[in-house]
Amino acid sequence: MNGYAGKILRINLTNRKETIISTSKYEQWIGGHGMGSAIFFDLVKDKSIDGFDPANVVTIMTSPLSGTLVPGAAGRTEVQGIGVQSVPIGWFTRSNFGGRFSSMLKFAGWDGIVIDGRADAPVWLDIRNDRVKIRNCSTLSLWGTDTWQCQEKIWQYVAGKQEYGDWIEAGGKSGELTTQRPAVLAIGPAGENLSRMACLIHDASNGSGQGGFGAVWGSKGLKAISVIGTGGIKVNNPKALIETRLWQKKHYAFNLEKLKNTRMTVDFQSPPVPGVSWRRGRPRTGHRPQACAGCHSGCRARFDDGLGNEATCFTTMVYAAARDQDVQRHTSDLLNRLGLNAAEIFWGEMYLRELNLYGFLGFNKEVDCPLRFNKYGRRAYIEQLLKMIAYRNDGLGNPHPFGDDLAEGFVRAAKKWGRLDGDEGDLKTGRLKFPNWGLPQHKEPRSQLDWAYGSILGDRDINEHGFDQLRSHPTNSKIYGFEMYVSAEELVRIYTDKMVPFQGDLLMLDFSTTNMYSDHIAKLVSWHRYYTRFWKQSTLFCDWRWPDFLNLLAPGKIGSTGISEPKFLNAVTGRHFTFLDGINLGKKIWNLDHAIWTLQGRHRDMVHFSDYLYTQPGVVDQYLPGRKNGKWDYFNTRGRHFDRDKFDGFKTRFYKLQGWDASTGYPTRGTLESLDLDYVADELQRNDKLGRG
Ligand code: SF4
């Protein structure tokens, strides 16, 4: 089993027992998400349980590429289980984080960890190679610490008196030494207090952000998992792996000679600059790139003054009203330390401010809110807000029901305050920007259809940037006057040529209003679901670099997607996997996930956006490729909204394309059996959830 450690660690917290699952039992799913879904399906007998039920199973999975030198893949970890963040049902969901946890887990001899049950007192997991201990938190006083304090305490405990960089004995294998510290994945106070937007944090800012997995761990009494290993991963063809890495780096990755030609982000041709969105850009003080294990892209940074280390994306967007950059960087750090999901707080923070200005909440207002709005913009304000959500109090250490309201999530809080009622409800006006499943908006849904449909037909904000360049490239070009690298038609050809088995259908990327609900867009959404379920979430290619469609450094500007992914996978495993094999396996995984959601209670009638997306036009300039009078160009999609009936028709087209029952959205036996998922069809049938057809 090249690329695998060969075993998966199963921990039952209720009886504090560890058992081993042979990886070979799930090898057909390759790794990551596929394995996680399959294990979850087998172990959770009643899929309709709540995320806080002790029987909920959380999987933490690696892939065959973890711990190798595959760029933008070796350091990712996939987390799955029933979440607690979404509304009205906490869907079986996923999250993914970078860093070095997955590599270290493989070096310790494990392909994944499966957690179920509930501990009778807070515990942490201490994995040192083969030696696994479930330890009480009380010995190190871990419960109550923030995620950084927790990691430091565990590092000190494992390393003893040795200084950072000294050799330490890892344990579990006699005499084996390492200079590394354990990789620790931890929850903060938000998870301990069951805040539904609590996440898992590893190192400074690698967050398993969505799903509320921090709260799920908190409910299980699990504070942290620490792992240190001194082994290695058997690679089938090390020469081919190194050659593929060098080939990919030479032809497709950033090149210092050509930096002046690139204005793109979230792709391989970008230089190693941190992907931060602090309102005033990057700090003036020095910084150096920081990367996940095995990645040459280095999209994070460590700063001279240590503020905001490794923070990226939404974690750096929260509190745009901060009066200076340091306040915003402190905010990023506090989000990580408390273990909070930045995306929900980004929108929620602005929502609260608006309700305050509107006179709805504040001291002695309709909703009594202890936030000190007179400090808005300062550090004291955001600290109070974040602590309020993490500790379920007034943010200053005193009991207050407002903290409880927020910890339940902004949509649940708004409902409790009566703000979702009537024609002026906040999800109707769009004051509350949570478009699907009670989760926060990310990319503009009325423009980026792949994102919007993928999210509402799935379980979460997809947070998958594979088609983001279609919008960011022309939009930046139009707004800031940057050079357009390729025409709309050329861009669409580059992308669609790679989208097997739908390749060549250019209309998949026609984002014009007349094409919004077409079979072509249904194919785009399907392809994206299949690609991400396998290549990104199972083999764990990083969302910030893959797929590589448009690449300005490559001949013809054609990126390496379709070639690179299987080349890397085959070099490590010795398989003869094609790109299409991966897409097909992604389809199978997508069907398995959809079956789980169906068993949880999903029906097509539930699948609709928040009302504001049907009535309120998008207000941001968003240029995307489309056709008008038979000609391709980039068009501004600003000002449009979804049509309720047409979206309903789109669902029918999408379900038919999947081979599901269009009247219910339930999977059918024929489709499941064609994917060798007969046992899934049987369980759906037993639960009266099998579609007709
Ligand atoms: S691109 Fe960034 S987030 Fe992705 S693996 Fe590389 S360093 Fe990590």
Side-chain angles (χ1 to χ4, degrees):
M1 288 179 70
N2 293 311
Y4 296 97
K7 58 191 193 303
I8 296 164
L9 177 63
R10 183 177 178 193
I11 298 287
N12 184 303
L13 292 169
T14 305
N15 56 27
R16 299 196 181 208
K17 285 267 186 305
E18 63 182 79
T19 48
I20 290 175
I21 300 171
S22 171
T23 307
S24 60
K25 185 175 176 196
Y26 292 97
E27 198 186 345
Q28 59 157 310
W29 302 91
I30 301 297
H33 191 100
M35 273 191 188
S37 291
I39 291 170
F40 177 92
F41 195 91
D42 287 352
L43 298 186
V44 178
K45 299 304 170 205
D46 178 3
K47 273 77 175 176
S48 67
I49 57 172
D50 186 76
F52 287 134
D53 192 306
N56 186 13
V57 166
V58 177
T59 57
I60 301 143
M61 302 304 298
T62 69
S63 95
L65 309 186
S66 308
T68 67
L69 286 174
V70 179
R76 308 296 307 183
T77 310
E78 181 83 355
V79 179
Q80 291 158 266
I82 297 175
V84 293
Q85 194 175 11
S86 57
V87 174
I89 290 174
W91 297 121
F92 170 69
T93 191
R94 56 165 294 276
S95 197
N96 184 296
F97 65 94
R100 60 199 175 92
F101 188 88
S102 61
S103 301
M104 197 61 96
L105 194 58
K106 294 279 288 287
F107 298 156
W110 305 98
D111 290 312
I113 304 171
V114 177
I115 304 284
D116 64 350
R118 175 179 291 161
D120 54 4
V123 295
W124 64 286
L125 207 53
D126 184 359
I127 304 170
R128 308 185 194 192
N129 288 314
D130 276 354
R131 201 177 81 196
V132 178
K133 297 270 185 217
I134 302 172
R135 299 191 187 279
N136 286 323
C137 285
S138 54
T139 321
L140 297 179
S141 302
L142 290 183
W143 201 256
T145 57
D146 70 37
T147 63
W148 292 3
Q149 291 165 335
C150 175
Q151 293 181 77
E152 282 167 13
K153 280 183 179 237
I154 290 174
W155 290 339
Q156 282 164 13
Y157 178 76
V158 174
K161 291 199 168 65
Q162 301 300 93
E163 296 289 323
Y164 191 83
D166 286 348
W167 292 98
I168 61 170
E169 200 166 329
K173 287 182 182 171
S174 63
E176 294 215 348
L177 301 174
T178 177
T179 58
Q180 300 296 298
R181 290 294 177 266
V184 182
L185 183 63
I187 63 169
E192 294 176 8
N193 293 304
L194 310 187
S195 168
R196 289 180 185 270
M197 59 191 97
C199 56
L200 312 173
I201 296 290
H202 157 56
D203 282 349
S205 185
N206 298 291
S208 178
Q210 280 195 51
F213 285 113
V216 174
W217 276 33
S219 74
K220 291 182 175 300
L222 179 62
K223 176 70 180 176
I225 298 176
S226 165
V227 57
I228 189 162
T230 51
I233 299 302
K234 189 161 171 16
V235 168
N236 178 66
N237 189 339
K239 183 166 181 280
L241 174 60
I242 294 291
E243 282 175 355
T244 305
R245 181 178 165 110
L246 293 175
W247 162 82
Q248 191 272 344
K249 176 80 176 68
K250 181 175 178 188
H251 297 290
Y252 300 98
F254 72 92
N255 178 334
L256 289 173
E257 300 300 315
K258 298 181 183 172
L259 284 186
K260 61 182 184 301
N261 292 333
T262 62
R263 284 192 194 279
M264 299 164 76
T265 56
V266 197
D267 48 41
F268 270 116
Q269 62 232 272
S270 298
V273 293
V276 297
S277 301
W278 289 312
R279 199 158 54 90
R280 291 180 179 81
R282 288 192 296 280
R284 290 184 191 281
T285 60
H287 68 271
R288 63 181 169 84
Q290 196 270 341
C292 304
C295 185
H296 53 54
S297 284
C299 71
R300 292 107 185 280
R302 293 206 175 128
F303 298 96
D304 273 359
D305 60 8
L307 261 188
N309 276 352
E310 300 180 13
T312 53
C313 199
F314 259 120
T315 312
T316 64
M317 292 165 68
V318 173
Y319 205 31
R323 55 169 47 184
D324 61 48
Q325 188 195 62
D326 280 358
V327 171
Q328 219 182 353
R329 289 200 289 153
H330 275 293
T331 303
S332 304
D333 285 350
L334 194 56
L335 285 162
N336 289 322
R337 298 183 77 128
L338 296 172
L340 283 166
N341 174 222
E344 175 141 7
I345 291 171
F346 171 76
W347 289 110
E349 180 273 307
M350 291 189 285
Y351 177 61
L352 292 180
R353 178 59 173 155
E354 198 178 339
L355 293 186
N356 167 254
L357 291 172
Y358 172 65
F360 178 76
L361 58 77
F363 290 114
N364 297 322
K365 300 288 185 193
E366 195 169 336
V367 168
D368 181 35
C369 165
L371 273 169
R372 295 166 298 174
F373 286 102
N374 59 341
K375 296 189 186 301
Y376 193 67
R378 298 185 196 172
R379 192 171 153 188
Y381 174 85
I382 196 69
E383 281 194 6
Q384 186 188 5
L385 172 59
L386 299 187
K387 286 180 177 171
M388 185 180 265
I389 299 170
Y391 291 100
R392 290 181 175 263
N393 60 19
D394 71 348
L396 301 171
N398 310 301
H400 199 289
F402 194 78
D404 257 335
D405 291 353
L406 294 188
E408 288 297 299
F410 284 90
V411 168
R412 286 182 178 86
K415 186 167 194 284
K416 183 181 172 195
W417 302 333
R419 294 220 50 96
L420 303 186
D421 303 336
D423 291 341
E424 292 299 307
D426 290 342
L427 285 175
K428 291 197 171 71
T429 61
R431 179 173 276 137
L432 189 55
K433 290 188 174 46
F434 285 60
N436 31 257
W437 306 127
L439 299 171
Q441 188 168 306
H442 195 156
K443 300 296 176 175
E444 169 52 57
R446 290 153 287 202
S447 295
Q448 287 191 240
L449 303 175
D450 52 301
W451 205 293
Y453 293 150
S455 298
I456 194 64
L457 293 161
D459 50 306
R460 48 164 282 170
D461 165 56
I462 56 172
N463 199 13
E464 294 159 357
H465 296 74
F467 293 94
D468 211 31
Q469 299 292 357
L470 294 175
R471 187 264 321 157
S472 62
H473 169 50
T475 302
N476 290 340
S477 173
K478 297 271 188 194
I479 292 176
Y480 301 112
F482 295 160
E483 171 201 0
M484 290 290 287
Y485 297 122
V486 286
S487 70
E489 184 165 358
E490 193 183 352
L491 185 71
V492 164
R493 277 192 199 285
I494 288 172
Y495 274 69
T496 53
D497 275 356
K498 290 178 176 291
M499 293 169 64
V500 291
F502 307 127
Q503 74 273 26
D505 179 359
L506 271 56
L507 295 180
M508 286 191 290
L509 298 183
D510 176 356
F511 287 83
S512 63
T513 305
T514 51
N515 198 45
M516 280 173 74
Y517 311 100
S518 70
D519 287 330
H520 308 285
I521 296 294
K523 281 198 263 180
L524 162 66
V525 177
S526 302
W527 189 88
H528 202 197
R529 298 300 84 232
Y530 307 160
Y531 176 84
T532 52
R533 274 297 187 263
F534 181 71
W535 289 111
K536 275 194 183 173
Q537 293 146 17
S538 296
T539 53
L540 298 180
F541 282 98
C542 176
D543 176 63
W544 270 40
R545 288 299 181 267
W546 302 92
D548 180 21
F549 281 121
L550 175 70
N551 192 312
L552 304 181
L553 304 179
K557 301 189 178 74
I558 299 169
S560 75
T561 268
I563 303 169
S564 277
E565 294 98 329
K567 244 177 133 118
F568 279 121
L569 181 63
N570 294 337
V572 172
T573 62
R575 289 171 181 270
H576 301 284
F577 228 65
T578 66
F579 188 55
L580 181 59
D581 289 337
I583 298 291
N584 288 335
L585 186 45
K587 179 179 181 180
K588 179 172 175 172
I589 298 165
W590 167 246
N591 271 268
L592 178 57
D593 286 356
H594 181 71
I596 295 171
W597 301 325
T598 304
L599 289 163
Q600 285 189 280
R602 184 173 300 189
H603 184 280
R604 76 165 277 159
D605 294 347
M606 301 170 70
V607 180
H608 50 76
F609 296 112
S610 296
D611 286 337
Y612 76 95
L613 289 191
Y614 301 109
T615 57
Q616 308 297 315
V619 294
V620 187
D621 287 322
Q622 302 270 287
Y623 288 84
L624 281 148
R627 268 189 349 155
K628 198 172 183 183
N629 301 326
K631 287 199 161 165
W632 284 94
D633 203 346
Y634 296 111
F635 296 101
N636 195 348
T637 53
R638 176 187 178 138
R640 75 182 183 193
H641 55 71
F642 287 108
D643 179 287
R644 207 179 292 269
D645 291 338
K646 288 179 181 170
F647 174 61
D648 209 52
F650 176 77
K651 280 193 291 186
T652 299
R653 278 188 276 284
F654 183 79
Y655 292 145
K656 283 185 176 168
L657 186 61
Q658 307 311 307
W660 300 340
D661 181 344
S663 65
T664 57
Y666 292 171
T668 61
R669 179 169 288 281
T671 298
L672 292 172
E673 287 186 350
S674 73
L675 296 165
D676 291 329
L677 293 172
D678 309 40
Y679 65 103
V680 176
D682 293 344
E683 185 163 331
L684 285 161
Q685 189 161 20
R686 283 196 298 277
N687 286 275
D688 206 16
K689 301 271 188 190
L690 193 60
R692 285 173 296 166

